[in-house]
Structure formats: structure tokens, C-alpha cells
């Protein structure tokens, strides 16, 4: 496996680049905006194709790099389902798997630092975000933080991972880079408590100053979404209500860009074909699935929220499929329109 731990000294943030092989797909966890050039250079040097950029939670101390990475690599942006960030094109929830070629991460919901905090585990290591730090834990005093929830996330989820599991946090302020579950259980001063109440009392006694970047970072991190408006302005968007009227039309092909796990959880539009977004470039090549399917027909892309489909419709237009459109707002908007139709 290719594994890189990258550091942003301004915010003391660790970002992690994962891939199974040179020339293959890559995933990055907690990228920082100011470091995006560095990530792109490293991806090129290692001959990797970034397909997913993941934030463990809404950060308050730096501006996320996921939006810039999406703009430059057309990768999928991923956060947990509770997030309020508009950048996200795929939302994951507890118990799901986050996958790229050759790498499968278990998705663990670990609220407490924020209500959208997630950890991501491989068999030998876990990326804990700001839930569990090395000899510390993430603060719980803002962003819907909750010390009791964090106690539960740490003691009943993370500390139940095998003792030797490597712990890779989103930050370190002292120069440590990695720990293990057993080490943290034994030596993390915040974890030497008897109960959730003890832990909550400990966290309440900290009285930490707000992060320097908080007033800038949180609003910025909430609004880095792709301008679906720009795609709409070019006439390439169809509203969910309009799309409902196109079901069953022989000249329209609905194209589902989501992954299999999303289709199973959220359902599919009847009669649609499945062409996952990471394979889009292959499908749009001469002779590819979408070139063949789109001949003489209108392709109507959809995904979860309209982010991947907005990128896909631009790529399809560039590949000569000028009648391609996408469903604005994706499956989320489709379901709302569906309820309106029934009512
Ligand atoms: Fe944080």
C-alpha cells in the first residue's frame, strides 16, 4: 500500500494519502487548502489518480482542501451524513465501507468533537480525526460538540479496535505522528476516567480559547460547493420534477453515477443504467458505454446531491454528448419531488 502522512505546520493538521499501487486510484483524508499544490504534485510523482477527498468532520482551524481538489482533479468529496457542508458529493454513515481500488475503509461514526465526526479504519490502522488524538482528545465545547457522546465514541467504538491498531489523528501539536489503541488506553491522560460523567467534567474544566481560524474556517468550509448554478445557467440542468416526467421515455437514458452501496441504501430510478462516477472517463471514450448508450439518445445523469452529475454533464459535453443533462439536486431532490407528486 502507498501511505503518506502529510503535515500542515500552520494548523498542525495531518492529512493522509492512501492508494493500493502506483498508477492506481488514491484517496486523501483531511486535506488542507494551502497544501493542495503539494498534494497534486505528489499525486503526479506517484502516478496516482485522486478519486476521493474525505473530511473526518467540519474543521474549525483550517480551510479544507476538498473543494480545490475536486475542482482540479474532479474527485468525489466525502463526509458523514450529518455534515452541513455543501461541498459534499457523497455522504457516508456508520457501518458502511469507503472504497477505492484496492483499499476498503470501515466507516465509524464517532460524534463528540462535532456531531459530524467520523473515523475511518483499515485492518491495521484507524484515522481518528479529532475524536482521539495522541495523548489527547478533540475539544467538545463548540460545533455541537458533546463530551458524553465523545466518551461513548472513544470507549465503546475506538478502544474496542484491536490493541495494536495504529492511531493516526488529524492533528498533533507536540510532534507525535502515530500511536496505538493500547497506548492511548493506557497513557492518554483524558482517558483515565471512570465514567462518561467524569469525562464530561474533565472536558468542561478545560476552558480553551477559540481556534484562531474559527470565524473564517467554519463559514468557508460550509460553502465550497460546486456551482451547480453554472451548469444550470448553460441549460444543462433538469429539475427533479421535470425529470419525473421523463421516466419511461424511449429517447432518454437515466445514468446513475453513484456507488453500489448508495444505490442499495437510497434506491434507484427505475430503468436507469449504472455507470459509477470514478469510471466516467472510460465510459466517455470513443466506443465507451456512454458513447454507445448516448448515440441518438439524451443522457440524464444523476447522483446523490447533483455534485457528481454536474461534473459528469460538463465532461459529457466536452466529449461531444451535447444533449447530456443532469438532475439538479440529485436523488435528494428526486425524493422531494416524488413526495410532491403523491401529495
Ligand atoms: Fe476539528
Amino acid at each position: 500500500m502507498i501511505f503518506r502522512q502529510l503535515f500542515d505546520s500552520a494548523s498542525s493538521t495531518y492529512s493522509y494519502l492512501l492508494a493500493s499501487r502506483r498508477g492506481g486510484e488514491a484517496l486523501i483524508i483531511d486535506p488542507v487548502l494551502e497544501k493542495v499544490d503539494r498534494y497534486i504534485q505528489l499525486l503526479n510523482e506517484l502516478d496516482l489518480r485522486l478519486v476521493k477527498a474525505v473530511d473526518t468532520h467540519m474543521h474549525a482551524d483550517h480551510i479544507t482542501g476538498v473543494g480545490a481538489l475536486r475542482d482540479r482533479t474532479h474527485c468525489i468529496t466525502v463526509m458523514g451524513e450529518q455534515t452541513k457542508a455543501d461541498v459534499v458529493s457523497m455522504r457516508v454513515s456508520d457501518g458502511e465501507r469507503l472504497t477505492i481500488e484496492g483499499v476498503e475503509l470501515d466507516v465509524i461514526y464517532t460524534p463528540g468533537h462535532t456531531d459530524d465526526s467520523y473515523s475511518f479504519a483499515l485492518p491495521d490502522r484507524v484515522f481518528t480525526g479529532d475524536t482521539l488524538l495522541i495523548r489527547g482528545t478533540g475539544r467538545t465545547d463548540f460545533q455541537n460538540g458533546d463530551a458524553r457522546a465523545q466518551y461513548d465514541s472513544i470507549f465503546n467504538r475506538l478502544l474496542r479496535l484491536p490493541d495494536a491498531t495504529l492511531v493516526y489523528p488529524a492533528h498533533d501539536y507536540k510532534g507525535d505522528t502515530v500511536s496505538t489503541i493500547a497506548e492511548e488506553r493506557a497513557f492518554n491522560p483524558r482517558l483515565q476516567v471512570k465514567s462518561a460523567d467524569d469525562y464530561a467534567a474533565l472536558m468542561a474544566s478545560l476552558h480553551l480559547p477559540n481556534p484562531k481560524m474559527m470565524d473564517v474556517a467554519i463559514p468557508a468550509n460550509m460553502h465550497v460547493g460546486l456551482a451547480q448554478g453554472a451548469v444550470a445557467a448553460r441549460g444543462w440542468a433538469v429539475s427533479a420534477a421535470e425529470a419525473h416526467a421523463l421516466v419511461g421515455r424511449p429517447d432518454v437514458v437515466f445514468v446513475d453515477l453513484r456507488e453500489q452501496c448508495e444505490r442499495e441504501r437510497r434506491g434507484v430510478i427505475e430503468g436507469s443504467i449504472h455507470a459509477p462516477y470514478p469510471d466516467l472517463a472510460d465510459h466517455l471514450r470513443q466506443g465507451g458505454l456512454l458513447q454507445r448508450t448516448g448515440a441518438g439518445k439524451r443522457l440524464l445523469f444523476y447522483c446523490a446531491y447533483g455534485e457528481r452529475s454536474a461534473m459528469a454533464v460538463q465532461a459529457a459535453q466536452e466529449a461531444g454528448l451535447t444533449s447530456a443533462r443532469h438532475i439538479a439536486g440529485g436523488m435528494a431532490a428526486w425524493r422531494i419531488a416524488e413526495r410532491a407528486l403523491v401529495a
Side-chain angles (χ1 to χ4, degrees):
M1 189 174 74
I2 295 172
F3 173 71
R4 295 299 160 90
Q5 183 177 32
L6 300 148
F7 187 58
D8 172 55
S9 54
S11 61
S12 298
T13 301
Y14 286 127
S15 309
Y16 301 95
L17 181 69
L18 302 171
S20 62
R21 62 175 179 96
R22 269 182 172 265
E25 295 183 352
L27 170 151
I28 194 164
I29 298 174
D30 288 331
V32 175
L33 179 63
E34 286 77 10
K35 296 289 174 190
V36 164
D37 284 343
R38 173 62 189 138
Y39 308 144
I40 301 269
Q41 182 191 6
L42 186 58
L43 288 162
N44 289 335
E45 288 165 350
L46 300 178
D47 189 25
L48 297 174
R49 188 163 66 91
L50 187 69
V51 296
K52 285 181 183 160
V54 185
D55 266 339
T56 52
H57 64 286
M58 170 90 60
H59 296 285
D61 53 3
H62 66 269
I63 298 177
T64 176
V66 300
L69 284 168
R70 176 212 49 216
D71 292 344
R72 292 176 60 178
T73 69
H74 299 138
C75 67
I76 298 171
T77 54
V78 184
M79 284 183 80
E81 63 181 349
Q82 291 80 1
T83 186
K84 292 167 192 76
D86 66 354
V87 65
V88 175
S89 51
M90 180 175 178
R91 289 168 197 241
V92 292
S93 50
D94 188 68
E96 290 185 348
R97 292 261 163 90
L98 177 61
T99 58
I100 58 166
E101 173 203 0
V103 179
E104 248 187 42
L105 294 149
D106 285 326
V107 176
I108 311 173
Y109 181 41
T110 49
H113 171 60
T114 64
D115 58 358
D116 67 350
S117 287
Y118 276 77
S119 299
F120 299 95
L122 288 169
D124 68 338
R125 67 194 68 193
V126 59
F127 303 97
T128 54
D130 289 358
T131 301
L132 178 59
L133 305 175
I134 299 172
R135 311 298 192 262
T137 57
R139 63 194 297 168
T140 56
D141 56 339
F142 60 77
Q143 280 191 288
N144 298 322
D146 180 334
R148 284 181 178 77
Q150 191 174 54
Y151 176 92
D152 188 54
S153 295
I154 293 173
F155 282 86
N156 295 323
R157 305 299 303 273
L158 296 176
L159 294 189
R160 293 195 178 173
L161 294 169
D163 279 0
T165 307
L166 298 168
V167 172
Y168 284 103
H171 295 289
D172 192 85
Y173 306 95
K174 307 172 300 294
D176 290 313
T177 55
V178 62
S179 180
T180 66
I181 289 294
E183 249 179 77
E184 290 313 308
R185 186 189 296 112
F187 304 119
N188 190 319
R190 297 243 178 112
L191 306 189
Q192 311 311 310
V193 290
K194 297 256 180 310
S195 66
D197 286 342
D198 285 359
Y199 185 73
L202 171 66
M203 294 307 283
S205 70
L206 296 175
H207 304 299
L208 300 166
N210 282 344
K212 287 190 288 271
M213 287 280 285
M214 185 164 111
D215 294 337
V216 179
I218 292 178
N221 288 340
M222 282 180 74
H223 301 294
V224 270
L226 178 71
Q228 284 189 45
V231 167
R234 304 189 71 164
W236 296 341
V238 168
S239 76
E242 289 166 339
H244 271 280
L246 296 172
V247 172
R249 292 255 308 239
D251 58 331
V252 177
V253 181
F254 284 72
V255 182
D256 187 352
L257 297 163
R258 296 169 303 159
E259 301 190 4
Q260 192 54 37
C261 61
E262 298 176 275
R263 289 158 56 85
E264 284 163 15
R265 260 172 61 100
R266 310 276 181 219
V268 300
I269 296 176
E270 208 184 304
S272 58
I273 64 166
H274 186 207
Y277 178 80
D279 304 329
L280 184 68
D282 278 347
H283 292 325
L284 287 174
R285 278 202 192 100
Q286 274 322 317
L289 172 72
L290 293 175
Q291 290 287 356
R292 284 181 276 124
T293 313
K297 298 198 177 189
R298 288 191 282 160
L299 297 180
L300 186 54
F301 291 104
Y302 73 98
C303 59
Y305 303 99
E307 292 288 308
R308 277 168 282 182
S309 58
M311 293 193 284
V313 80
Q314 288 171 305
Q317 293 283 340
E318 283 163 25
L321 294 164
T322 53
S323 65
R325 300 290 183 271
H326 88 121
I327 303 179
M331 204 64 188
W334 175 267
R335 292 292 182 214
I336 292 167
E338 196 168 53
R339 284 194 289 275
L341 285 175
V342 174

